Amino acid sequence: MTAYNGYVTDETIEGAEDGPLADTTVAVKDNISTEGVRTTCGSAMLSDYVPPYDATVVQRLKDAGATIPGKTNMDEFGMGTTTETSAFGPVENPVAEGRVPGGSSGGSAAVVAAGDADLALGSDTGGSIRCPAAFCGVVGIKPTYGLVSRYGLVAYANSLEQIGPIAPTVEDAAELLDVIAGPDEHDATTQEAPEADGSYAAAADGDVDGLSIGVPTELLDGADQEVVETFWTALDDLEAQGASYHEVDLPSVEHAVEAYYVIAMSEASSNLARFDGVRYGQSGGYDGNWNDSFANAREEGFGEEVKRRVLLGTYALSAGYHDKYYKKAQDARAWVKQDFDEALDDADVLASPTMPVPPMKRGESLDDPLTMYLADANTTPVNLANLPAISVPAGETDDGLPVGLQLVGPAFGEREIIRAGSALA
C-alpha cells in the first residue's frame, strides 16, 4: 500500500506475455470489476465483494499484456470531488501536500502522479477523471459516451458515466485509449467510432496550426483568479503554435450543475437499490422483518454522501415531483447538448479551466456539500452532452498548486482534443 492511501487492494493481476502494454502497469479504479479480486467501490457495503468476471476494459488490458498492480481508492460509489468519502480513508495528493487529489478517481490520479503505476483507469460521471487529473498534475481523458464499454463498471449514473485513461502524458493516455476503446457485445450503448486515419496515439503530434478554439466565457465566471490567469497563458501558448481562439456562448451551462445532480442522483437511487444485504452488500444482520433488515444494511453499509444522494434522487423520482425535477433536468440536458453542438460548429474544440479552483485543503468541503457540487461547474456539462474531453496540465499557481486545462471536442472527436492537448503538454 502507499503512504498516501492510493490503493485499496494491491493484489497483482498479470496480463498476457506480449502486447502493446507489455511491461506496463495499469492501476484500475475500484468500481471496475476484476475476476477473483476484491472490488469495493470505496464502500463498506462491498468491502468483501469479489466479482466472478472481468470488466471488458480489464480483459482488454490483460489481452494487451498489461500488469494491474492493484485497485485504486475512490469516493464511495464515485460520489465525491475530493476522494475523502471512501470507507477506506481519504487519499492524499502526492504532489500538493495537505490538499485533496480530486475525485472520484483520486486514487487513480494519485498513483500515476506518484509514479506507483505507469497508467490508470478511472471513471467519469461528472468530471471524476478530469478533476483528479487537474489536481494531481496529470492527463485524464473522458471519452465520448459509447466509445468505451461500461460492462463491469459498477453503475452510479448509467447515462452519464464513461471509463477512461489517466496518464503522465497525452500520448500515454491516448495509447491506453487505443486499447480499451471499441464496441462490446456485452454493452449495447457502445458503438464504432467513425473511421479516421491513424490511432489515437498517432494524433498526439502537437500540430495545432489552424486549430480554432472556442472559449465559453460562462465557464470562467467565478473561477479563481490565478486559475484564470494560468488558463489564458496556456491559450497564448497554443496561439503561438498556430492555433486561434475566440469567445463562444454556452448560455445553458448556468443550469448544468443543477440538472446534472438531479439526473445523477435519480439514477443512483435506482442503481443502488440492489444493495440491500440480500442481492448485494453486507447483510443487515437483523432478525426482524425484511424492511428492518434492508434499512439496517444500508444504514451501516453506506456513507453520509451516498445516503444524501440516494435520498435526494428518490425524492426527485417520487410521485408528484418527477415532472417538477427530473423531467425539467432532462429538458435542461437537451438544451446543454444543443448549445455545445452549436458552439462546436463555430470551433474545432472548446477550452476552459478544468476546475474553477486549485486543489482544496483536506476536509474543507466535507461539511459543505453544495460548495463541493458547484466545483464541478466546468466538467458536468460535458457529461450531460455526452462529449469527449481531456484535462492536461496548464501550469501552477504561485503556491505551486496544479492547474488543468480542459479541451472539449465533438462526439467521437477524441483525436482533435488529443492533438490540441499534446501541443500544450
Side-chain angles (χ1 to χ4, degrees):
M1 297 294 183
T2 58
Y4 53 88
N5 204 29
Y7 287 109
V8 172
T9 303
D10 57 2
E11 185 174 342
T12 300
I13 303 171
E14 299 290 348
E17 291 185 4
D18 298 313
L21 295 179
D23 301 319
T24 302
T25 56
V26 184
V28 174
K29 187 176 179 180
D30 206 30
N31 60 346
I32 300 173
S33 297
T34 44
E35 182 181 1
V37 177
R38 192 172 63 137
T39 299
T40 71
C41 294
S43 178
M45 179 68 81
L46 292 177
S47 59
D48 296 323
Y49 173 63
V50 178
Y53 68 101
D54 279 329
T56 295
V57 292
V58 170
Q59 186 59 56
R60 289 177 178 175
L61 290 181
K62 292 162 73 172
D63 292 344
T67 297
I68 299 172
K71 307 294 293 294
T72 58
N73 205 352
M74 57 180 284
D75 280 304
E76 186 179 9
F77 284 103
M79 301 181 190
T81 307
T82 62
T83 314
E84 293 179 288
T85 69
S86 171
F88 304 96
V91 177
E92 307 242 6
N93 191 326
V95 300
E97 185 177 357
R99 303 280 173 157
V100 300
S104 63
S105 307
S108 290
V111 299
V112 171
D116 288 321
D118 297 321
L119 310 169
L121 290 183
S123 64
D124 193 308
T125 308
S128 290
I129 288 174
R130 290 159 289 156
C131 167
F135 280 4
C136 291
V138 294
V139 175
I141 298 176
K142 174 236 172 274
T144 303
Y145 187 82
L147 181 65
V148 177
S149 172
R150 292 183 296 110
Y151 177 73
L153 174 68
V154 179
Y156 162 21
N158 312 58
S159 73
L160 298 164
E161 57 202 7
Q162 274 285 270
I163 296 171
I166 295 175
T169 70
V170 174
E171 184 175 4
D172 289 338
E175 288 176 352
L176 183 51
L177 184 61
D178 278 318
V179 169
I180 64 173
D184 175 24
E185 64 180 358
H186 299 298
D187 181 358
T189 66
T190 57
Q191 53 186 306
E192 189 79 59
E195 287 191 20
D197 294 331
S199 64
Y200 293 115
D205 58 13
D207 182 8
V208 293
D209 190 31
L211 182 76
S212 173
I213 303 172
V215 180
T217 54
E218 294 88 349
L219 299 184
L220 298 175
D221 294 342
D224 178 88
Q225 186 59 36
E226 283 193 81
V227 169
V228 172
E229 291 172 359
T230 304
F231 168 74
W232 287 120
T233 299
L235 282 193
D236 289 340
D237 182 9
L238 291 173
E239 185 180 46
Q241 297 181 60
S244 62
Y245 61 84
H246 60 278
E247 293 184 358
V248 296
D249 293 325
L250 288 177
S252 61
V253 298
E254 69 172 303
H255 305 293
V257 171
E258 295 95 322
Y260 165 80
Y261 275 104
V262 169
I263 293 169
M265 291 178 183
S266 297
E267 294 186 16
S269 170
S270 176
N271 281 321
L272 270 62
R274 72 193 71 176
F275 301 108
D276 56 10
V278 177
R279 291 170 291 180
Y280 292 95
Q282 300 286 340
S283 170
Y286 194 84
D287 294 331
N289 63 41
W290 183 86
N291 286 326
D292 291 335
S293 180
F294 174 86
N296 197 48
R298 292 163 74 85
E299 170 63 27
E300 294 180 356
F302 289 153
E304 292 304 312
E305 184 60 30
V306 172
K307 292 173 186 174
R308 179 183 296 116
R309 297 192 189 199
V310 168
L311 283 171
L312 290 171
T314 302
Y315 178 78
L317 292 176
S318 61
Y321 294 98
H322 178 279
D323 289 352
K324 183 177 181 180
Y325 295 110
Y326 186 74
K327 185 177 183 300
K328 284 185 178 180
Q330 291 289 9
D331 290 342
R333 180 178 191 172
W335 183 20
V336 170
K337 171 65 174 169
Q338 177 181 316
D339 279 357
F340 268 100
D341 289 344
E342 291 176 356
L344 286 164
D345 284 339
D346 191 38
D348 298 317
V349 298
L350 307 180
S352 75
T354 306
M355 300 297 290
V357 294
M360 294 88 83
K361 293 179 180 178
R362 282 186 55 193
E364 72 177 4
S365 63
L366 283 177
D367 296 327
D368 188 1
L370 182 58
T371 296
M372 182 171 65
Y373 299 163
L374 292 174
D376 297 331
N378 290 6
T379 54
T380 54
V382 182
N383 296 76
L384 291 174
N386 288 337
L387 298 177
I390 187 172
S391 178
V392 295
E396 297 179 345
T397 67
D398 291 342
D399 293 332
L401 300 177
V403 175
L405 181 141
Q406 174 178 246
L407 295 162
V408 182
F412 299 103
E414 277 76 7
R415 288 173 178 82
E416 286 91 334
I417 59 174
I418 287 169
R419 182 169 288 112
S422 64
L424 183 62

